[in-house]
Amino acid sequence: MKLLVGFTALLCLQLAGEIVTRLFALPIPGPVVGLFLLLVALPLIPGLAELVDDAAQALLAHLSLLFIPAGVGVIVYIGRLDGVIVAASATLVGSTVIGLCVTALTLQRLMRGRSTRLDDAGDATISEH
Amino acid sequence: MDDLPLDALWVYLSGSPLLALTATLACYLIATRLFERSGQFALLNPVLVSVTVLAFGLVASGVSYANYFEGAQFIHFLLGPATVALALPLYRELPTLRRHLLPIVLAMSAGLASTVGSTLLIPRVTGMDELLRLSIAPKSVTAPVAMGISERIGGVPSLTAVFAIITGVLGAMIAVPLLTKLRIKDDAAKGLAIGLVSHGIGTARAFRISERAGAYSGLAMALTAMITATGLPYLIGWLGS
């Protein structure tokens, strides 16, 4: 029952997100707006986190599965990449590697200076939940 | 004659969502088991393996993608509520996130600048034509947003979706070996980097590292989508593509 209630709550937030996106003609999809709506609602409504937890866990535990139907579609279109495979691969691999290195190294380096003490404090706050 | 009942059975099965759903779930379960058994070997990424096997299955059986998607759409639909659900792990990270707000903002800025910069630069160096350059530009953003951006800047949305999904799988495959080699120990740094370059598919991989990595990956994915959707059209206009 809790699973169903949680799932309904997630769908309601997605619906609210879709409505907001369309009303204000936002360039981001409804579910992403729904994500931020839930993030705002969680500290305001006591018990909400508990309520959606089961449904969220169930969905996020198998997030990879949800991308497979769209992924199969890639194969259908991949023939259109004929002739640009080298340039496209260079771009995709190059920028992915660069982006991963820059983001992770920057964050790790900036956090290291103040990490140990703050991480301990952070973990302590989390375990209170 | 003899194979007539089989033909009728096939007509029924290929027309109902049951076969596509079952095949997708079964492929995913087997591919996930294979991935774990292999010690999480990058080339055996579950999304990559499942997609390849299913695509070969479609080609071999002559079932169209549209037909397959009629069944698989029930799985695809769950991406919506799953995206909303990303708020929950993020909410649990809020205390730590607040303490590291400045490093996170700076790392996101540096990451976005280098990712977008190299995505605009490499196609120029390799001599891609303008239509392709515009189609590949939003590739680090989650597919539905990337398609919207592509449409606005004059790319081909369906091609952009292909680039976005390949990027997602690529990021999910290479992130963990690469970040391990770079000696990145903090799961927050791993997650943020993975979500920024490879959106949802990367985020799915990040959740296999830890809940914390998944939370930061989801955050980076959502912010990258918002910032790229608002900023990229202006950047392209300013650069004159």
Side-chain angles (χ1 to χ4, degrees), chain A residues 7 9-11 13-14 27-32 34-36 38-39 42-43 48-50 52-57 59-78 80-81 84 86-108 110-112 114-115 118-119 121-123 125-126 129, chain B residues 24-25 28 47 50-51 54-55 58 65 68-69 72 75 77-92 95-96 99-100 103-104 106-107 110-111 114-115 118-119 122-123 126 128 132 136 139 145 152 156 158-159 162-163 165-167 170-171 174-175 178-179 182-186 188-189 192-194 196-197 200-201 204 207 212 222 226 229:
Chain A
F7 191 68
L10 290 176
L11 285 181
L13 283 154
Q14 187 188 345
I28 44 174
V32 175
L35 190 169
F36 286 102
L38 179 56
L39 197 60
L42 281 168
L48 182 62
E50 235 283 295
V52 293
D53 195 38
D54 284 2
Q57 294 271 357
L59 285 166
L60 295 179
H62 298 290
L63 195 53
S64 301
L65 166 70
L66 313 187
F67 289 99
I68 294 174
V72 176
V74 167
I75 312 288
V76 177
Y77 281 99
I78 213 145
R80 292 167 67 173
L81 296 184
V84 288
V86 176
S89 309
T91 310
L92 298 182
V93 175
S95 78
T96 301
V97 169
I98 292 169
L100 278 169
C101 295
V102 170
T103 315
L105 287 173
T106 311
L107 188 58
Q108 177 152 294
L110 290 174
M111 277 169 64
R112 190 174 286 160
R114 29 190 248 169
S115 69
L118 293 175
D119 265 350
D123 289 344
T125 331
I126 285 168
H129 278 285
Chain B
T24 308
L25 280 166
Y28 170 75
V47 179
S50 307
V51 162
L54 287 165
L58 290 190
Y65 176 66
Y68 162 78
F69 195 78
I75 295 171
F77 173 79
L78 295 175
L79 274 176
T83 306
V84 178
L86 286 172
L88 210 69
L90 194 55
Y91 169 67
R92 300 210 164 102
T96 350
R99 284 182 180 85
H100 295 297
I104 290 169
L106 291 174
S114 58
T115 306
S118 53
T119 310
I122 301 173
T126 50
M128 243 189 233
L132 273 165
I136 209 168
K139 57 103 186 120
V145 185
R152 274 193 296 154
V156 184
S158 61
L159 210 52
V162 172
F163 287 134
I165 290 168
I166 295 177
T167 303
L170 189 67
I174 63 175
L178 182 68
L179 296 174
L182 289 175
R183 299 217 180 97
I184 304 295
K185 288 183 192 83
D186 193 321
L192 201 79
I194 296 175
L196 189 144
V197 298
I201 304 179
F207 270 106
R212 183 160 200 240
M226 287 170 58

Side-chain angles (χ1 to χ4, degrees), chain B residues 20-34:
Chain B
L21 265 176
T22 315
T24 308
L25 280 166
C27 269
Y28 170 75
L29 287 175
I30 295 168
T32 307
R33 176 64 67 87
L34 204 66

Side-chain angles (χ1 to χ4, degrees), chain B:
Chain B
M1 296 171 285
D2 209 7
D3 55 17
L4 257 177
L6 261 179
D7 274 359
L9 180 67
W10 176 243
V11 167
Y12 161 72
L13 282 178
S14 60
S16 111
L18 182 64
L19 188 61
L21 265 176
T22 315
T24 308
L25 280 166
C27 269
Y28 170 75
L29 287 175
I30 295 168
T32 307
R33 176 64 67 87
L34 204 66
F35 181 61
E36 297 300 343
R37 279 273 170 89
S38 71
Q40 305 198 333
F41 181 57
L43 278 175
L44 288 178
N45 177 277
V47 179
L48 182 70
V49 171
S50 307
V51 162
T52 312
V53 170
L54 287 165
F56 271 110
L58 290 190
V59 172
S61 62
V63 173
S64 73
Y65 176 66
N67 207 327
Y68 162 78
F69 195 78
E70 251 171 59
Q73 63 173 320
F74 300 109
I75 295 171
H76 181 77
F77 173 79
L78 295 175
L79 274 176
T83 306
V84 178
L86 286 172
L88 210 69
L90 194 55
Y91 169 67
R92 300 210 164 102
E93 283 296 326
L94 276 184
T96 350
L97 204 145
R98 271 199 206 111
R99 284 182 180 85
H100 295 297
L101 195 60
L102 187 65
I104 290 169
V105 169
L106 291 174
M108 283 284 312
S109 312
L112 271 171
S114 58
T115 306
V116 174
S118 53
T119 310
L120 294 177
L121 192 70
I122 301 173
R124 272 175 187 260
V125 176
T126 50
M128 243 189 233
D129 69 49
E130 191 184 344
L131 193 66
L132 273 165
R133 288 207 312 263
L134 292 172
S135 305
I136 209 168
K139 57 103 186 120
S140 285
V141 180
T142 178
V145 185
M147 290 172 82
I149 299 173
S150 176
E151 200 167 10
R152 274 193 296 154
I153 60 180
V156 184
S158 61
L159 210 52
T160 301
V162 172
F163 287 134
I165 290 168
I166 295 177
T167 303
V169 175
L170 189 67
M173 280 169 64
I174 63 175
V176 174
L178 182 68
L179 296 174
T180 309
K181 198 155 261 181
L182 289 175
R183 299 217 180 97
I184 304 295
K185 288 183 192 83
D186 193 321
D187 283 358
K190 289 183 193 168
L192 201 79
I194 296 175
L196 189 144
V197 298
S198 53
H199 51 91
I201 304 179
T203 300
R205 178 68 186 90
F207 270 106
R208 291 205 166 261
I209 302 174
S210 70
E211 182 101 338
R212 183 160 200 240
Y216 279 87
S217 186
L219 172 73
M221 173 190 96
L223 290 177
T224 301
M226 287 170 58
I227 295 167
T228 314
T230 35
L232 191 64
Y234 292 103
L235 184 65
I236 299 263
W238 182 63
L239 289 174
S241 74

